[in-house]
Amino acid sequence: MSSTLSQARQQWEDELRSTQSELERIYSHVPQDTTAYTLHAVFIHSGHSPEFGHYWVYVRDYVREKNLVRWLKFNDSQVSVVDSSEIFGDTPKQGEESANPYYLVYVRTSCIDEMADFGV
């Protein structure tokens, strides 16, 4: 039994090394400093099923001239500036106890300047 386990372990370690080498080869051309991503939007659903309930989204807003990052909440026809604790807090707001994030949007950190609002 010990011999079988040793062989299985050796096979697994060989496969792991092979997979690591293959991944390093595949991703060797990707620059490490430009692949960081920043959370840009969080889509929320509150309800008991996808067909029933309420949806809203939080979007990170970049205001370059004020060197400001703020979060906007798009909820039906209402748009408001919210504190990040509303999105990332451990305790849900009253009435939103069944709310869950269901879709996250990330953008390359190196592209954030291109997303900044220059007109406001």
Side-chain angles (χ1 to χ4, degrees):
M1 181 65 104
S2 171
S3 173
T4 304
L5 288 176
S6 294
Q7 289 174 345
R9 179 180 175 172
Q10 185 62 48
Q11 181 181 359
W12 178 82
E13 289 175 349
D14 291 344
E15 288 177 16
L16 178 62
R17 276 192 292 278
S18 174
T19 302
Q20 286 173 327
S21 295
E22 183 68 9
L23 287 172
E24 287 172 6
R25 184 189 66 74
I26 291 170
Y27 292 105
S28 64
H29 69 283
V30 178
Q32 296 298 314
D33 58 337
T34 59
T35 55
Y37 287 84
T38 300
L39 183 64
H40 177 67
V42 179
F43 289 76
I44 304 289
H45 174 257
S46 177
H48 301 291
S49 75
E51 295 84 25
F52 178 78
H54 184 71
Y55 293 86
W56 65 93
V57 64
Y58 296 100
V59 177
R60 180 178 244 153
D61 184 31
Y62 305 94
V63 183
R64 177 183 239 186
E65 56 193 44
K66 296 179 183 175
N67 197 23
L68 174 72
V69 174
R70 63 184 180 179
W71 284 92
L72 301 176
K73 181 179 184 179
F74 292 82
N75 189 353
D76 296 332
S77 62
Q78 303 267 336
V79 179
S80 56
V81 176
V82 297
D83 190 85
S84 61
S85 64
E86 182 173 324
I87 305 160
F88 303 112
D90 290 336
T91 307
K93 291 175 61 175
Q94 186 173 3
E96 297 178 357
E97 291 84 3
S98 67
N100 292 296
Y102 75 96
Y103 188 77
L104 304 174
V105 177
Y106 288 86
V107 296
R108 279 195 176 182
T109 303
S110 61
C111 296
I112 289 175
D113 282 346
E114 298 171 29
M115 300 174 64
D117 181 7
F118 296 101
V120 178

